[in-house]
Amino acid sequence: MAVIPQIDSPYSLDELITGVLEGNADCAIAFYRRYGKRIHHRIRSLLGTDNAHEDIVQTTFLNILDSLSQVRQSASLDHWVDSVTFRTVYKELRRRRYLRMVIPASDNLPDVIDKKNSHRDWVARQFYVALGQMAAEERMMLVLKYVECCTLQEISRISGWSVATVKRRITSAVNSLGKIARADSVLAEYIGEQHDVG
Amino acid sequence: MWDNEFICATLAAAARDVLNAEDQSLLQKRQERRFVSLVVNRASRPRRSRAVRWGVTAGGCAAVALLAWGLGTLLTSRPFTFDVTTGDGASVPGTPGDWIETTADQTIDIHFDQGSRFRMDTGGAVRILEASPQGVTIELARGNLFADVEGPPDTRWRINAGPFSVHVLGTVFSVDWNGNTSDVRVRVVSGVVLVQGSSLNHHGLRLYAGQQLRANGRTGEVSVETLQSTDHGSGSKTSTAVSATSESTARFATDSAGNATNIDTERDRDPSTISASPVPKAVQDHSVRAETPPALWKRLYDDGQFVAAVDAARGVGLDVLLATLDAPGLWMLADAARNARETALSNRILQTMRQRFTNDNKSRLAAFLIGRSVMDVENQSRVAARWFHTYLEESPHGEMAQEAYGRLMQIYSKNRLHQDARTLASRYLAHYPDGLYATRAKRLLTLGR
């Protein structure tokens, strides 16, 4: 999801920033409709289904509002929002690791009732369990590259890390996930099936 | 065998499909309302970081206890100090433990060095029990106390008022309390607030940004509603939340004036003197134990507030609900508990459902869900295996039959019960020769040769 969806808005980016800072409700609505879905999706991708999802989305918006006045060029607003989202989730993952909380992020995936996708839901759940075993940096790089399909340059801009660092972390993440997935019977089974089909 | 790139791409694609299939529209609508409310209110209040204004009175018989919930690290710096300033401007350093009393015609301000301020209204009595970066505890014996709390969210601010306590931490909200009618209104602009006391059971009720609670300490009525965002459609900088706070301030002043008539006005004290004398008890426990309206937990569930829904259900009485809810109601309650990460409770509800509604389709599915949670959350594979077998006996071609087979094969393989695994694999292939787990089943049979 590398492209901001073009939502018709009567406000330019400059007007959006100014309006939100001034407390204009219409601008706030326009701002949310421009970025809300994107932020939700990005956080969901990075964390999987998580009990704290709403709180983290809320925190992201708070962080955006706290520092919106520092945005120098409105043209970079889209990337800036991505960066704030990334940093908010990164901080959360680091904090959880620090507090030694084990949060089975996939525990709250919806009940597997859909006959078509039940197995894939299970696989997705296990995927996020596997991500939970990785370092925050590796996990986020892997999600941005493979789930969100971002380019290296986009990831570098979002994270604030150099392209070289991003590349190195992605390589490390890929190796980590490969090792974890091979040892997980659910994931290994699924990969085998997909390999055979392919 | 497979290269790591293939593994990542394959698993990521599965995750992406699942994420894209989710319907987040309800959640996003809720968040939109909160965001707009946040934007409007931030612009309209003075520029302070995490400033909170509210008033508390201990004169009523059904006050509420509020807990603003957050996470943070412990601070290790020096204790807070505070000054006590009377209406005529005289200021003295405050001492933790000493009572601060006001007369019928003077108020007293308490200023903490870290920026927080309190005002004890006329005819009141309060003392600071503890003041450190870890926490500030204030005891309110009587009267009306206004608070403007600032500073890092790691400091726990608590005010004890009779049998109740009010906790504040980094949340923007307003509390409106009318001691004469025992009506309380709590509005949350941002963050989360836990409301406890009176007609709510000790677990309390969580309110999220954009929600409003109305409760009455005498009748036990409680309602939670979501604030509409249309009030600020005109783009005006004022908002209902700010107006409500102003109203609350005025109302507290009125309550305070009303309560002052109960104060011993014959007392003759120098208002600039800080007293260390004992102060009468603040309030009697007039809390009314009443049940939370049964519909509340369902409303909270529909709104996605699962933890609050479970709390509200407890307020009604879980035993009562388990005995009286119909099958859809039990299913909903189990789902709420599961989403609130109360796996044991969820399983208990599902088992009750199975006992009471044996022939219900969802009761049979409940067997699978219990098995899955026992396997995934509690890691009890043998217990899980019994549940999966139960499910397959009751629903041999049920919607989760394939997954039940898949999980059983996994359990048997992992526990080296190869013969059982092969028997199961044969059964599975007989029913689902091209099924989701056909490859696994065939591999198990191959291993046995």
Side-chain angles (χ1 to χ4, degrees):
Chain A
M1 202 182 190
V3 177
I4 301 284
Q6 294 304 309
I7 297 169
D8 287 336
S9 167
Y11 303 103
S12 66
L13 291 180
D14 278 317
E15 286 168 341
L16 266 189
I17 293 173
T18 306
V20 166
L21 289 172
E22 289 177 352
N24 183 299
D26 290 332
C27 288
I29 291 169
F31 190 98
Y32 184 89
R33 288 186 183 169
R34 183 179 176 87
Y35 295 113
K37 192 173 176 183
R38 179 183 185 77
I39 291 172
H40 272 276
H41 188 95
R42 178 59 55 80
I43 292 174
R44 190 72 91 190
S45 289
L46 288 168
L47 291 182
T49 302
D50 191 291
N51 251 350
H53 175 84
E54 279 201 63
D55 287 337
I56 295 170
V57 169
Q58 180 86 350
T59 303
T60 302
F61 278 115
L62 281 171
N63 290 341
I64 287 172
L65 292 178
D66 276 343
S67 46
L68 187 60
S69 57
Q70 297 164 21
V71 175
R72 294 279 175 260
Q73 293 175 345
S74 59
S76 63
L77 184 60
D78 294 350
H79 298 301
W80 180 81
V81 167
D82 281 346
S83 295
V84 173
T85 308
F86 178 91
R87 284 198 300 272
T88 305
V89 174
Y90 182 50
K91 193 173 170 187
E92 172 66 16
L93 287 173
R94 293 281 299 263
R95 185 188 67 83
R96 290 179 182 183
R97 188 164 277 261
Y98 173 73
L99 292 175
R100 300 185 192 282
M101 283 171 66
V102 177
I103 298 180
S106 58
D107 185 46
N108 289 319
L109 276 174
D111 270 338
V112 182
I113 302 298
D114 184 350
K115 282 181 263 194
K116 273 192 209 161
N117 300 323
S118 59
H119 188 50
R120 198 178 53 200
D121 281 349
W122 193 10
V123 169
R125 170 201 297 252
Q126 289 304 107
F127 172 69
Y128 279 101
V129 171
L131 290 184
Q133 300 172 47
M134 294 163 57
E137 297 83 0
E138 287 183 355
R139 169 201 187 126
M140 296 181 79
M141 295 295 96
L142 190 140
V143 166
L144 288 176
K145 174 86 168 51
Y146 289 93
V147 179
E148 294 277 282
C149 301
C150 296
T151 64
L152 293 180
Q153 286 70 26
E154 281 167 343
I155 298 173
S156 170
R157 197 165 37 222
I158 289 168
S159 62
W161 298 327
S162 68
V163 171
T165 300
V166 167
K167 262 172 126 172
R168 191 180 72 245
R169 285 182 168 157
I170 287 175
T171 303
S172 175
V174 166
N175 291 338
S176 295
L177 182 62
K179 192 175 168 189
I180 296 168
R182 286 189 180 86
D184 183 295
S185 57
V186 172
L187 295 180
E189 179 69 36
Y190 181 75
I191 294 161
E193 287 163 8
Q194 297 303 306
H195 190 263
D196 293 344
V197 166
Chain B
M1 201 162 45
W2 322 295
D3 70 26
N4 289 338
E5 281 280 342
F6 175 77
I7 290 173
C8 285
T10 303
L11 296 179
R16 191 168 50 244
D17 287 345
V18 170
L19 291 169
N20 287 339
E22 285 183 345
D23 179 13
Q24 296 290 315
S25 53
L26 191 64
L27 172 65
Q28 286 171 28
K29 279 198 181 95
R30 196 161 61 228
Q31 282 285 349
E32 179 179 331
R33 288 197 293 270
R34 288 175 190 170
F35 176 72
V36 175
S37 181
L38 193 60
V39 164
V40 172
N41 284 311
R42 277 171 75 101
S44 60
R45 65 180 167 87
R47 280 203 169 273
R48 280 175 179 159
S49 65
R50 301 185 178 89
V52 178
R53 291 182 188 276
W54 48 273
V56 173
T57 179
C61 63
V64 296
L66 305 172
L67 178 64
W69 164 71
L71 295 174
T73 55
L74 290 178
L75 301 175
T76 55
S77 50
R78 60 174 178 78
F80 295 155
T81 61
F82 59 94
D83 289 332
V84 180
T85 306
T86 59
D88 57 10
S91 184
V92 295
T95 304
D98 284 352
W99 283 105
I100 302 163
E101 292 182 74
T102 55
T103 62
D105 55 4
Q106 266 208 343
T107 61
I108 283 181
D109 288 335
I110 303 167
H111 293 262
F112 283 82
D113 60 340
Q114 49 79 249
S116 297
R117 299 179 305 172
F118 293 79
R119 169 163 290 181
M120 186 70 248
D121 213 339
T122 55
V126 67
R127 62 177 172 172
I128 311 298
L129 294 175
E130 176 204 351
S132 71
Q134 285 76 35
V136 176
T137 304
I138 298 169
E139 183 175 349
L140 178 64
R142 61 175 182 269
N144 204 353
L145 184 68
F146 294 92
D148 182 357
V149 177
E150 289 191 31
D154 304 317
T155 303
R156 297 183 181 180
W157 292 82
R158 186 174 84 183
I159 290 140
N160 296 330
F164 304 99
S165 61
V166 181
H167 301 254
V168 180
L169 179 64
T171 299
V172 180
F173 64 97
S174 67
V175 179
D176 189 348
W177 165 247
N178 186 328
N180 292 328
T181 61
S182 288
D183 282 318
V184 70
R185 184 177 63 182
V186 181
R187 282 182 176 182
V188 180
V189 176
S190 68
V192 182
V193 168
L194 179 67
V195 182
Q196 293 176 311
S198 186
S199 57
L200 303 170
N201 75 357
H202 67 278
H203 291 285
L205 186 68
R206 279 191 179 83
L207 290 183
Y208 295 83
Q211 288 188 316
Q212 171 177 273
L213 169 129
R214 289 179 191 268
N216 186 283
R218 290 185 193 142
T219 65
E221 288 177 1
V222 176
S223 68
V224 175
E225 55 205 25
T226 301
L227 296 173
Q228 294 299 320
S229 62
T230 53
D231 290 340
H232 40 63
S234 63
S236 162
K237 285 187 184 177
T238 58
S239 73
T240 53
V242 173
S243 297
T245 303
S246 301
E247 287 166 5
S248 300
T249 302
R251 203 166 296 143
F252 288 146
T254 303
D255 283 342
S256 172
N259 288 338
T261 60
N262 296 325
I263 301 301
D264 179 10
T265 55
E266 291 179 3
R267 178 180 284 174
D268 182 17
R269 296 184 56 86
D270 179 351
S272 66
T273 302
I274 300 174
S275 167
S277 60
V279 175
K281 284 187 181 175
V283 294
Q284 295 175 5
D285 181 5
H286 289 275
S287 58
V288 175
R289 302 299 296 178
E291 299 217 336
T292 307
L296 177 61
W297 77 264
K298 281 188 181 171
R299 276 205 296 275
L300 292 168
Y301 172 82
D302 287 337
D303 201 37
Q305 311 298 330
F306 303 118
V307 173
V310 172
D311 287 347
R314 283 198 167 97
V316 177
L318 284 175
D319 289 338
V320 169
L321 288 176
L322 292 179
T324 57
L325 279 177
D326 58 11
L330 285 174
W331 184 259
M332 194 187 293
L333 186 58
D335 192 49
R338 188 181 62 81
N339 278 289
R341 302 168 70 84
E342 294 206 40
T343 313
L345 174 61
S346 178
N347 288 346
R348 178 186 162 201
I349 297 166
L350 290 173
Q351 289 188 52
T352 302
M353 189 175 167
R354 283 179 53 79
Q355 285 160 10
R356 289 184 50 209
F357 303 99
T358 316
N359 295 325
D360 193 289
N361 195 35
K362 284 217 158 47
S363 291
R364 291 190 276 273
L365 184 57
F368 172 82
L369 293 176
I370 295 169
R372 186 178 72 169
S373 79
V374 167
M375 181 175 176
D376 292 348
V377 179
E378 297 173 23
N379 271 327
Q380 295 185 51
S381 53
R382 288 180 189 268
V383 174
R386 285 200 289 273
W387 280 109
F388 292 136
H389 275 297
T390 299
Y391 175 73
L392 287 174
E393 280 160 23
E394 294 174 359
S395 303
H397 304 290
E399 52 200 313
M400 303 310 297
Q402 285 205 61
E403 187 159 341
Y405 274 111
R407 284 177 177 259
L408 280 168
M409 284 190 273
Q410 183 186 358
I411 289 171
Y412 287 142
S413 299
K414 208 169 168 187
N415 287 280
R416 300 179 191 279
L417 300 170
H418 300 301
Q419 184 54 49
D420 291 324
R422 284 193 290 275
T423 304
L424 205 63
S426 294
R427 261 175 63 190
Y428 175 77
L429 287 171
H431 291 296
Y432 306 100
D434 299 311
L436 298 167
Y437 304 99
T439 308
R440 173 184 291 177
K442 287 171 188 168
R443 194 171 292 148
L444 283 172
L445 290 176
T446 308
L447 286 174
R449 289 181 188 153

